[in-house]
Amino acid sequence: MYRSHTCGELNASHINTEVTLAGWVQKTRDKGFMIWVDLRDRYGITQLIFDEQRTAIDVFEKAKTLGREFVIQVKGTIIERESKNKNIATGDIEILVSELHILNEAKLPPFTIEDETDGGEDIRMKYRYLDIRRNPVKNNLLFRHNVAMEVRKYLSNQGFCEVETPYLIKSTPEGARDFVVPSRMNEGQFYALPQSPQTFKQLLMVGGMDKYFQIVKCFRDEDLRADRQPEFTQIDCEMAFVEQEDILNMFEGLTRHLLKEVKGLEVAKFPRITYDYAMKTYGNDKPDIRFGMKFGELNEVAQHKDFGVFNSAELVVGISVPGCASYTRKQIDELIDWVKRPQVGASGMVYCKYETDGSLKSSVDKFYDQEDLKKWAEVTGAQPGDLILVLSGPANKTRTQLSALRMELGNRLGLRKPEEFAPLWVVDFPLLEWDEESERYHAMHHPFTSPKPEDIHLIDSNPGAIRANAYDMVLNGNEIGGGSIRIHDKGLQAKMFELLGFTKEEAENQFGFLMNAFQFGAPPHGGLAFGLDRLVAILGGQETIRDFIAFPKNNNGRDVMIDAPSTIDVKQLDELHIQLK
Amino acid sequence: MYRSHTCGELNASHINTEVTLAGWVQKTRDKGFMIWVDLRDRYGITQLIFDEQRTAIDVFEKAKTLGREFVIQVKGTIIERESKNKNIATGDIEILVSELHILNEAKLPPFTIEDETDGGEDIRMKYRYLDIRRNPVKNNLLFRHNVAMEVRKYLSNQGFCEVETPYLIKSTPEGARDFVVPSRMNEGQFYALPQSPQTFKQLLMVGGMDKYFQIVKCFRDEDLRADRQPEFTQIDCEMAFVEQEDILNMFEGLTRHLLKEVKGLEVAKFPRITYDYAMKTYGNDKPDIRFGMKFGELNEVAQHKDFGVFNSAELVVGISVPGCASYTRKQIDELIDWVKRPQVGASGMVYCKYETDGSLKSSVDKFYDQEDLKKWAEVTGAQPGDLILVLSGPANKTRTQLSALRMELGNRLGLRKPEEFAPLWVVDFPLLEWDEESERYHAMHHPFTSPKPEDIHLIDSNPGAIRANAYDMVLNGNEIGGGSIRIHDKGLQAKMFELLGFTKEEAENQFGFLMNAFQFGAPPHGGLAFGLDRLVAILGGQETIRDFIAFPKNNNGRDVMIDAPSTIDVKQLDELHIQLK
C-alpha cells in the first residue's frame, strides 16, 4: 500500500503521528525558505510542508520541482498548522515531510482541476479523466453509486430479484431506431441492442419470477436532442399478480426511500392526478408542482364579449403570476415577446394586473369591465398584487404555450428550488395517440400496455378515447419513471398489434415469441422503468444528465476522449459479411 | 393485489384464516368427489382442495376444467391436511377453496415443469420462460442475484464506487474479435462493444477514483467453445496506490465474504503458489487443490536405466492415485486408452502398483528393480495401496496430459466434491508468451500488465523470461478471476506495445488516449476481474454457466427463444451506410 491514510481523514487528534500519504499535487506555494503543497486524493486535501530548517536538503530541493498534478508519495509527521483552515476537514494540521517520492510526473493539465474550472465542455470531455478529478464530477459519480446501491437494497428487501437480460437481441422496427450488431456466425443477420428489456421482463413474469428488477443499459439510435444519450441506464422493474395500485405503492415506496436515504427528506404520500387533469391544469403531463400558477380556463367568463380574438378561440386560458402586478410595461412586453418566439409560438398575450388596491387593469379594458376581470381573477386564483397572463387559441397548442410560460416564470421567480422535491403520479394516460403523418395510431406508452377494462368496449368504435393502465412518476417537472399494466392475453395483444397497424406476419415475426409465451399461462403483470441518469441528476439538484455519467457522448454520439466511433479494418467487415455502401 | 399470501408461507399457525392465493396449477388429482390441486408460485406449493360436499357446485365444476400451468386465483380457508406432507413447508395445511378465478388458461407445456424435467436442452432453451418456472433454474437466478448483491455490499463497504463505463466504444483488433455497431450519424464508422472495461477503469484511476468496481456485461465474438457465451458478465475492479499484495488481500476478502454469506463456509487464508510451481506440480495454471496427486518428477530416478522411452524424454512425471493399486489390468488398460485418446494425446503410460504388502509391481519391471520403484513412490508420495501412473515426453505437453489424467481421476474417484471449496492464488505469471504462428510475443494477460520491476532488465535480452505482476484466483480447478498491476508509465507502456509488435501508429491509434492520459499524472494501480457467470456456477456447486444465465445463447451465438440474430430491413442497412456482401 502506498499510503497509511487518505488525504481526507487526518486531524488534530493525529498530531505527532508518522503517516504516509499519496496523491496529486493540487498546488504549491514556494516562499523560498518554505514550501507548502496541497496534496489531493479522492477523499480530500492535506497540506504538506517542506522547510529549509527542518527538511533534509535533498527532499527540500525535490519539492521545488513539483508541478501541478504530479503524483507523489510522502512520509512525514503530522504537526499543528500555524494558521488553521476551517474550510477543510484537515485544516488544523499539516505534514512535515521527511521523505518524498515522485511516483509520476504530469504535464500541465489543459484546464484547472478546481471546483470552478476554466475548462469548457469540449475540452473537459476530451480529457474526461482529468475532469473526474474535480470534486463536482467525482461527487456526482459517488452520488450515483449511492443512489444505485439504495435502489438495489430497497428492491432486494422487497423480494425483487435482479436478473440480467441479454444485450444481443432482435431488432424491432417499432419504436425508436435500433443499434444493430452484424453477426459473424450467422451470415446476413444482425443482433440489436435493447431499447429496453421490455419483452424479457414480461417473459420473466410468464416464467414465474414475480418481482424482477435490473439496473441496465439501454440503447436508442436517435438524433440526439440536448441532454439525450445514445446509451442510457434504466431501473427496470416488473411484478406479477399485481394491479396498478400495487405498483404505484411499491415504487412510491422506492422513491420515498431514496429521498430519505440520499437526501435526508421525508416526503408524504404522492399526489395522483390524471393525465387529463395534468394537461388542463398545467398544460403538461409532467408538471412541476413545487409552485402554483395552475391554469384557469376562461372561456365561460371571457368569451361572448366583443373581443374577437377570444371569441374565436377554442380555449382561453390564464395563469396568475404571484406578486407580479407591479411589472412594468417593459417587463410585460418582454414576456409577450418571449411567448411569441418561434420556440413557443403564441400569437399574442393578454394581461391583467390585479393591483394591491383591488382594482384590475388589463390590456383589453375596452372589452372587459372590473366585474368581468374579477371573474378572471377568481378562475385563475389571483390575489391582489398578482399578474394574470392569458393565452388563447387551439386547446392543445395553447396549453403547451402556457405551460412553457409557466415553467419560464417558475425559473425566473426562483420557484423551482433544486433542493425541494415534489414527486407525483400522473395516471390514466391515453392508450393511443393519432399520428397525422402515418395516419395511424401509435402506442402512447408501448404496444404491451393494457387498456383500462372499462374502456375496452371502445376498441372498435373510438380507440382514441381508450385510457390505459399507464402511469408516470414525475419529479420537479421531469418524468423520472413510467410504466403500465401489461396485456397478458394473447387475443387482446393480437388486437392491439392490429390497431397499431402491424400485419399478422409482422406481429408474428417480431413478437411471436411473446404471444407464444402468453399461451402457456401468463399471469397478470405490470411494471415500470426509471431513467437512472435523470433521476440521479434531479436528486443531485441538477438537470444535466451528462454531469452524472462518467464517460458521456456528445450530441453527435461521439466519445471524444477515445475518439469513437471509428473506422475498422476491411478484414473485420469481410468477416461480418458486410461492406460500406 | 391478486393474493394475500404466497404459496410458500402458509402453515398450521394459519388454520382457519381466509386467504387469497394466485399461481400456476402444478398438478391436479381428481377423485371424482374430491379434487386436489397443487398451486405453485415462486415461493412454493400450496395444496388446494375442492370437495363435492363443502365446495359450491359451480366452483367444483370449474375446478374440473383446470389443466397444468393454468393461472388461477383462489379464495378459501386454511384447513389442516389429513395426510401431511413433511417434504414441503406448507405440507401441514390445505386450502378449502370457496372462489376460483381462471386468470389465464395454458396450453400443455412442451416439457414437464418439475425439478427433473423430460425436456432436453434445446426445447428448454426455446421455451426458456417455462424452464425458469422450474425450481433448479429459478433458484440459480435467485442465487446469482444473491451473489451479486453480496459483491456490491462488500465492495461498497470497502469504499469502492461502482461506475458505469460505456458500451459503445472503440474497436481494438488486439485480443479477441470485437462485436461492432455501425454508426448512423458517423458514416463509415463503427462502435465496438467492450471486451472488458479495461482502459476505462485505468482512466478512472488516472481520474482519482481510487477504488472502482462494476458488474458489467462484456462481449467477445469468438467461435464458441462449450460453455462460452458471446456476452458474459464480469465483476470488474481496479484500485490505485496499491501493490499486488493489497489487491490479493482485498479480493481474497471478497471471496471469503461470498463463501461465508452465500455458502455459510469459513475459509482460511488462501494458499499462494507461483505459476511455475502450479505448472510443475499440477501441470496446470488453475489447479484443483481439493485433492492431492501432485506431480512427482522422475527424471533423476527413472532415467539412465535401459528404458529408452524415459531416457529420451525431456520429462518423466508421475502421480500417485490413492487406493488404486488394486486396479485390474482391464481398468489400467482403460486408463491407458484414455490418455492415448487424441483429446489427451499421450503415446503411452507406465504404471506401478504399490501393493499393500509394500512390494512394487510395474509395467516396466524388466528395467527397474524394487529399489528403483521405491524411489518413484517417494517422489510421487505414493503409499502402499496406491497406483503410480507415469507419462513421459516433451515437458509442457506431458504436464498437460498428466493434468488431464489427474482431473479425470479426481472426478472418477469423487475427489472433486461440489460443496467443498478450495480457493488459491496463482501468482508470478510470465509477462509474455511466444506465438509460433505469428512469430511474435503475445501478452499473456493483456498489454497493460506490469512486468516485475526486478525482471525489467530482461526486456531486451530475454523478454520471454520476464515475470509479470499478474495473478489469478483459482477455485476448484477453474480460474474465477485474474488481474495484474498495470503499467502506469507512458514510456514503459510504449515499450510494451513495441514488444507486442504494434507499430507506433497502431499503438497511438488504438491506445493513444490511454498513453496520453498517462502523461497527466497516472497513479500506480492494478486490479482484477472475476467472471461472474462461472463464479456463480461454481459457488452453486455446478460447472455449467448456462444454467445460471436467464436467457443464454447456444453454441452458434443464437437466442433460439426470440430467434436472434435475424435479418433486418434494407432501409435499416441504408441508414447505417452498409450493405450485405
Side-chain angles (χ1 to χ4, degrees):
Chain A
M1 193 67 91
Y2 282 80
R3 59 189 172 195
S4 63
H5 294 78
T6 70
C7 294
E9 64 182 306
L10 296 168
N11 57 45
S13 76
H14 298 91
I15 282 168
N16 292 325
T17 317
E18 178 98 343
V19 298
T20 308
L21 297 185
W24 286 264
V25 172
Q26 175 79 18
K27 64 173 180 222
T28 58
R29 272 173 303 147
D30 187 343
K31 293 272 179 197
F33 59 95
M34 214 175 258
I35 304 164
W36 288 273
V37 172
D38 278 358
L39 186 67
R40 187 198 68 235
D41 66 10
R42 170 180 152 191
Y43 310 92
I45 282 179
T46 298
Q47 182 166 293
L48 313 178
I49 180 166
F50 302 81
D51 166 350
E52 225 171 21
Q53 306 283 313
R54 295 174 286 177
T55 308
I57 182 72
D58 57 323
V59 175
F60 189 77
E61 288 304 319
K62 205 192 280 180
K64 281 189 177 295
T65 70
L66 295 177
R68 272 175 183 265
E69 301 304 317
F70 274 39
V71 187
I72 63 171
Q73 181 191 37
V74 296
K75 202 174 259 185
T77 308
I78 300 175
I79 59 176
E80 191 173 355
R81 270 208 219 182
E82 272 185 34
S83 56
K84 304 205 172 24
N85 179 348
K86 292 294 167 205
N87 296 323
I88 61 171
T90 62
D92 286 350
I93 57 99
E94 59 193 353
I95 316 275
L96 181 62
V97 176
S98 55
E99 281 181 37
L100 166 63
H101 301 284
I102 296 175
L103 300 174
N104 223 337
E105 300 191 346
K107 278 197 346 194
L108 197 67
F111 53 87
T112 54
I113 312 295
E114 307 273 1
D115 291 6
E116 297 288 333
T117 182
D118 57 355
E121 171 95 359
D122 289 350
I123 193 104
R124 291 197 295 112
M125 287 302 149
K126 184 164 164 59
Y127 298 92
R128 184 66 161 174
Y129 44 87
L130 298 179
D131 202 26
I132 290 172
R133 287 186 194 164
R134 296 171 53 240
N135 284 320
V137 182
K138 177 195 75 187
N139 289 338
N140 284 353
L141 296 182
L142 292 169
F143 183 74
R144 183 183 179 115
H145 167 63
N146 194 14
V147 171
M149 277 301 290
E150 290 300 333
V151 168
R152 288 192 161 98
K153 263 191 227 166
Y154 178 87
L155 292 175
S156 288
N157 287 340
Q158 297 286 337
F160 283 77
C161 177
E162 184 162 17
V163 179
E164 295 176 51
T165 53
Y167 277 79
L168 296 172
I169 65 166
K170 188 171 172 163
S171 188
T172 54
E174 178 71 357
R177 215 182 273 107
D178 283 321
F179 282 104
V180 299
V181 181
S183 168
R184 181 179 54 87
M185 289 205 271
N186 301 272
E187 184 170 349
Q189 300 190 2
F190 293 75
Y191 302 99
L193 299 178
Q195 296 184 29
S196 91
Q198 182 64 33
T199 48
F200 288 97
K201 69 177 175 176
Q202 292 194 244
L203 291 173
L204 284 170
M205 295 305 111
V206 176
M209 188 60 72
D210 59 8
K211 288 178 181 171
Y212 145 91
F213 84 102
Q214 189 183 188
I215 298 185
V216 63
K217 274 279 176 77
C218 301
F219 304 85
R220 277 183 205 169
D221 185 12
E222 295 192 274
D223 296 325
L224 298 176
R225 284 182 276 158
D227 214 33
R228 285 259 186 160
Q229 290 282 316
E231 52 177 305
F232 54 96
T233 306
Q234 287 198 343
I235 308 169
D236 191 49
C237 308
E238 196 81 2
M239 300 172 78
F241 299 117
V242 290
E243 286 151 336
Q244 177 169 310
E245 184 66 18
D246 306 309
I247 294 185
L248 299 190
N249 288 334
M250 177 64 75
F251 294 99
E252 186 169 320
L254 169 62
T255 309
R256 203 179 282 121
H257 174 86
L258 291 179
L259 285 166
K260 185 162 173 217
E261 294 300 322
V262 306
K263 302 302 297 184
L265 294 174
E266 299 276 359
V267 176
K269 204 157 169 51
F270 297 7
R272 294 180 189 180
I273 64 176
T274 65
Y275 172 85
D276 275 348
Y277 178 85
M279 294 308 288
K280 283 192 179 145
T281 312
Y282 301 101
N284 197 313
D285 62 1
K286 41 180 202 278
D288 188 340
I289 59 167
R290 283 175 296 184
F291 62 101
M293 296 196 234
K294 290 185 186 179
F295 289 13
E297 299 195 355
L298 299 166
N299 290 34
E300 264 184 47
V301 299
Q303 288 183 330
H304 315 299
K305 302 280 164 177
D306 290 337
F307 187 40
V309 174
F310 281 4
N311 289 348
S312 64
E314 186 186 358
L315 179 70
V316 182
V317 60
I319 53 175
S320 156
V321 190
C324 292
S326 57
Y327 267 25
T328 61
R329 178 72 217 203
K330 200 177 152 200
Q331 283 176 298
I332 290 174
D333 282 347
E334 193 275 325
L335 281 180
I336 293 172
D337 287 345
W338 192 89
V339 297
K340 286 165 90 172
R341 297 182 320 148
Q343 297 95 316
V344 181
S347 48
M349 181 161 67
V350 166
Y351 69 88
C352 171
K353 294 180 173 188
Y354 194 169
E355 305 288 2
T356 44
D357 65 5
S359 67
L360 293 127
K361 172 97 202 60
S362 84
S363 54
V364 285
D365 275 355
K366 71 172 156 175
F367 304 111
Y368 300 95
D369 61 21
Q370 290 287 308
E371 210 50 44
D372 296 329
L373 297 176
K374 202 93 181 179
K375 285 184 194 147
W376 293 20
E378 272 164 33
V379 173
T380 59
Q383 300 296 318
D386 295 351
L387 172 68
I388 301 168
L389 299 175
V390 182
L391 297 179
S392 62
N396 290 344
K397 223 168 129 181
T398 306
R399 287 192 179 113
T400 303
Q401 292 161 355
L402 191 60
S403 171
L405 177 63
R406 176 179 175 272
M407 293 297 272
E408 174 68 14
L409 286 164
N411 283 327
R412 291 190 188 185
L413 300 174
L415 303 174
R416 305 190 66 202
K417 303 197 182 77
E419 289 301 316
E420 191 181 325
F421 294 91
L424 73 150
W425 286 107
V426 178
V427 299
D428 294 358
F429 275 78
L431 182 69
L432 305 165
E433 53 184 352
W434 182 255
D435 184 54
E436 293 291 347
E437 202 179 320
S438 58
E439 294 202 313
R440 63 177 180 87
Y441 284 110
H442 281 275
M444 184 123 178
H445 187 49
H446 56 51
F448 313 109
T449 299
S450 174
K452 282 196 178 287
E454 60 268 36
D455 289 358
I456 286 186
H457 67 277
L458 300 165
I459 203 156
D460 293 311
S461 58
N462 186 9
I466 300 174
R467 289 166 307 158
N469 275 326
Y471 32 80
D472 276 356
M473 191 187 284
V474 173
L475 182 58
N476 294 3
N478 293 277
E479 179 211 325
I480 56 166
S484 62
I485 298 295
R486 324 300 183 186
I487 297 168
H488 65 279
D489 178 77
K490 183 179 148 70
L492 183 56
Q493 185 65 68
K495 182 87 193 162
M496 187 70 181
F497 284 132
E498 193 189 315
L499 212 55
L500 296 171
F502 283 74
T503 66
K504 234 178 169 138
E505 291 66 37
E506 284 168 346
E508 177 56 33
N509 190 29
Q510 288 170 39
F511 299 108
F513 60 95
L514 185 66
M515 291 201 286
N516 216 2
F518 281 0
Q519 297 183 292
F520 292 103
H525 62 286
L528 88 177
F530 290 89
L532 180 64
D533 307 296
R534 186 153 316 276
L535 176 63
V536 170
I538 294 169
L539 290 176
Q542 298 175 38
E543 296 207 347
T544 311
I545 65 171
R546 204 170 287 190
D547 295 338
F548 289 82
I549 296 172
F551 301 102
K553 297 201 166 47
N554 73 10
N555 281 346
N556 293 319
R558 293 199 71 83
D559 181 327
V560 295
M561 180 184 71
I562 64 170
D563 194 25
S566 60
T567 55
I568 61 174
D569 283 354
V570 174
K571 189 169 153 275
Q572 272 178 289
L573 293 175
D574 285 347
E575 284 190 327
L576 298 170
H577 324 289
I578 58 171
Q579 59 193 13
L580 299 181
K581 266 199 96 147
Chain B
M1 192 68 88
Y2 281 79
R3 58 190 172 194
S4 61
H5 295 80
T6 70
C7 294
E9 64 182 305
L10 296 169
N11 57 46
S13 77
H14 299 90
I15 283 169
N16 291 327
T17 319
E18 178 98 343
V19 298
T20 307
L21 297 185
W24 287 264
V25 172
Q26 175 79 18
K27 64 173 182 224
T28 57
R29 272 172 303 145
D30 187 343
K31 292 274 181 197
F33 58 96
M34 212 174 258
I35 303 164
W36 288 274
V37 172
D38 278 357
L39 186 67
R40 188 196 69 235
D41 66 12
R42 170 180 151 191
Y43 309 92
I45 283 179
T46 298
Q47 182 167 293
L48 312 178
I49 181 168
F50 302 81
D51 166 349
E52 225 172 19
Q53 305 283 315
R54 293 174 286 177
T55 307
I57 182 71
D58 58 322
V59 174
F60 190 77
E61 286 305 318
K62 205 193 278 181
K64 280 189 177 295
T65 70
L66 295 176
R68 273 174 182 267
E69 301 303 319
F70 274 40
V71 186
I72 62 172
Q73 181 190 37
V74 295
K75 203 173 260 188
T77 309
I78 300 174
I79 59 175
E80 191 173 356
R81 269 206 219 183
E82 272 184 34
S83 56
K84 305 205 172 21
N85 179 349
K86 291 294 165 203
N87 296 323
I88 62 171
T90 62
D92 285 351
I93 57 97
E94 58 194 355
I95 316 276
L96 182 62
V97 177
S98 56
E99 280 181 37
L100 167 62
H101 301 284
I102 296 175
L103 300 174
N104 222 337
E105 299 192 348
K107 278 198 345 193
L108 197 67
F111 52 87
T112 54
I113 312 294
E114 306 273 0
D115 291 5
E116 296 289 332
T117 181
D118 57 355
E121 172 94 358
D122 290 350
I123 193 103
R124 290 198 295 113
M125 288 303 148
K126 185 164 165 57
Y127 299 91
R128 184 63 162 178
Y129 46 86
L130 297 179
D131 203 26
I132 290 172
R133 289 186 194 164
R134 297 171 53 240
N135 285 320
V137 182
K138 176 195 76 186
N139 290 337
N140 284 352
L141 296 182
L142 292 168
F143 183 75
R144 182 182 180 116
H145 167 63
N146 195 12
V147 171
M149 277 301 291
E150 290 300 334
V151 169
R152 287 192 162 98
K153 264 190 226 167
Y154 177 88
L155 292 175
S156 287
N157 287 340
Q158 296 287 337
F160 283 77
C161 177
E162 184 162 18
V163 179
E164 294 176 54
T165 53
Y167 277 79
L168 296 172
I169 65 167
K170 187 171 171 161
S171 188
T172 54
E174 178 72 357
R177 214 181 275 107
D178 284 321
F179 283 103
V180 299
V181 181
S183 168
R184 180 179 55 87
M185 289 205 273
N186 300 272
E187 182 169 351
Q189 301 190 358
F190 294 75
Y191 302 98
L193 300 179
Q195 296 183 28
S196 91
Q198 181 64 34
T199 48
F200 288 97
K201 69 178 175 176
Q202 293 193 241
L203 291 173
L204 285 170
M205 295 305 110
V206 176
M209 188 58 72
D210 60 7
K211 289 177 180 171
Y212 145 90
F213 84 102
Q214 188 182 189
I215 299 184
V216 61
K217 274 281 176 75
C218 301
F219 304 85
R220 278 182 204 169
D221 184 13
E222 295 193 274
D223 296 324
L224 298 175
R225 286 181 274 158
D227 214 31
R228 286 262 187 155
Q229 290 282 316
E231 52 177 304
F232 54 97
T233 306
Q234 288 198 342
I235 307 169
D236 192 49
C237 309
E238 197 81 2
M239 300 172 77
F241 299 117
V242 290
E243 285 152 336
Q244 176 168 312
E245 185 65 19
D246 305 309
I247 293 185
L248 299 190
N249 289 334
M250 178 62 76
F251 294 99
E252 186 169 320
L254 169 61
T255 309
R256 205 180 282 120
H257 174 84
L258 291 179
L259 285 165
K260 187 163 170 214
E261 294 300 320
V262 305
K263 304 300 297 183
L265 293 173
E266 298 276 0
V267 176
K269 203 157 168 52
F270 296 6
R272 295 180 188 179
I273 65 176
T274 66
Y275 173 83
D276 276 348
Y277 178 85
M279 294 309 287
K280 283 193 179 144
T281 312
Y282 301 101
N284 198 314
D285 62 1
K286 42 179 199 280
D288 188 340
I289 60 167
R290 283 175 296 184
F291 62 102
M293 297 195 232
K294 291 186 187 178
F295 289 11
E297 298 197 353
L298 298 166
N299 290 34
E300 262 184 49
V301 300
Q303 287 183 329
H304 314 300
K305 302 284 165 176
D306 289 339
F307 186 41
V309 174
F310 280 5
N311 290 348
S312 64
E314 186 187 356
L315 178 69
V316 183
V317 60
I319 53 174
S320 158
V321 190
C324 292
S326 57
Y327 266 24
T328 61
R329 180 70 218 203
K330 201 178 148 196
Q331 284 177 295
I332 291 173
D333 281 348
E334 192 276 327
L335 282 179
I336 294 173
D337 287 345
W338 192 89
V339 296
K340 286 165 89 173
R341 296 180 321 148
Q343 297 93 318
V344 183
S347 49
M349 181 162 67
V350 166
Y351 70 86
C352 172
K353 295 178 171 187
Y354 195 170
E355 305 287 1
T356 45
D357 65 4
S359 67
L360 293 126
K361 173 94 202 64
S362 84
S363 55
V364 285
D365 275 354
K366 70 173 162 177
F367 303 112
Y368 300 95
D369 60 22
Q370 290 288 307
E371 211 50 44
D372 296 329
L373 297 177
K374 203 90 184 184
K375 286 183 193 146
W376 293 20
E378 273 165 30
V379 173
T380 59
Q383 299 297 317
D386 293 352
L387 173 68
I388 302 167
L389 299 175
V390 182
L391 297 180
S392 61
N396 290 345
K397 220 167 128 181
T398 306
R399 287 192 179 110
T400 303
Q401 292 162 354
L402 191 60
S403 172
L405 178 63
R406 176 179 175 271
M407 292 297 271
E408 174 70 14
L409 286 164
N411 283 328
R412 291 191 189 185
L413 299 173
L415 302 173
R416 306 190 65 202
K417 304 196 183 78
E419 290 301 315
E420 193 180 322
F421 294 91
L424 72 152
W425 288 107
V426 177
V427 300
D428 294 357
F429 276 78
L431 183 68
L432 305 165
E433 53 184 352
W434 183 255
D435 183 54
E436 293 292 346
E437 202 180 317
S438 57
E439 293 202 315
R440 64 177 180 88
Y441 284 110
H442 282 274
M444 185 122 178
H445 187 50
H446 56 49
F448 314 108
T449 299
S450 173
K452 281 193 178 289
E454 61 267 35
D455 289 358
I456 286 186
H457 67 278
L458 299 166
I459 203 157
D460 294 311
S461 59
N462 187 8
I466 301 174
R467 291 166 304 158
N469 275 326
Y471 32 81
D472 277 356
M473 190 186 285
V474 174
L475 181 59
N476 295 2
N478 294 278
E479 180 212 323
I480 56 166
S484 62
I485 298 295
R486 325 300 182 186
I487 297 168
H488 65 279
D489 177 77
K490 182 177 148 73
L492 184 55
Q493 186 66 68
K495 183 86 193 163
M496 187 69 181
F497 284 132
E498 192 189 315
L499 213 56
L500 296 172
F502 284 73
T503 66
K504 234 177 167 139
E505 290 66 37
E506 284 167 345
E508 177 57 34
N509 190 29
Q510 288 170 38
F511 300 108
F513 60 95
L514 186 66
M515 292 201 286
N516 216 3
F518 281 181
Q519 296 183 295
F520 291 102
H525 62 286
L528 89 177
F530 289 89
L532 180 64
D533 306 296
R534 186 154 314 278
L535 176 63
V536 170
I538 294 169
L539 290 176
Q542 297 175 37
E543 297 206 345
T544 311
I545 65 172
R546 204 170 287 191
D547 295 339
F548 289 82
I549 296 172
F551 301 102
K553 296 199 168 48
N554 73 10
N555 281 345
N556 293 319
R558 294 199 70 83
D559 182 327
V560 295
M561 181 185 71
I562 64 170
D563 194 27
S566 60
T567 55
I568 61 174
D569 284 354
V570 175
K571 186 168 155 278
Q572 272 178 290
L573 293 174
D574 286 348
E575 283 190 328
L576 297 170
H577 324 288
I578 58 171
Q579 58 191 14
L580 299 182
K581 265 201 97 147

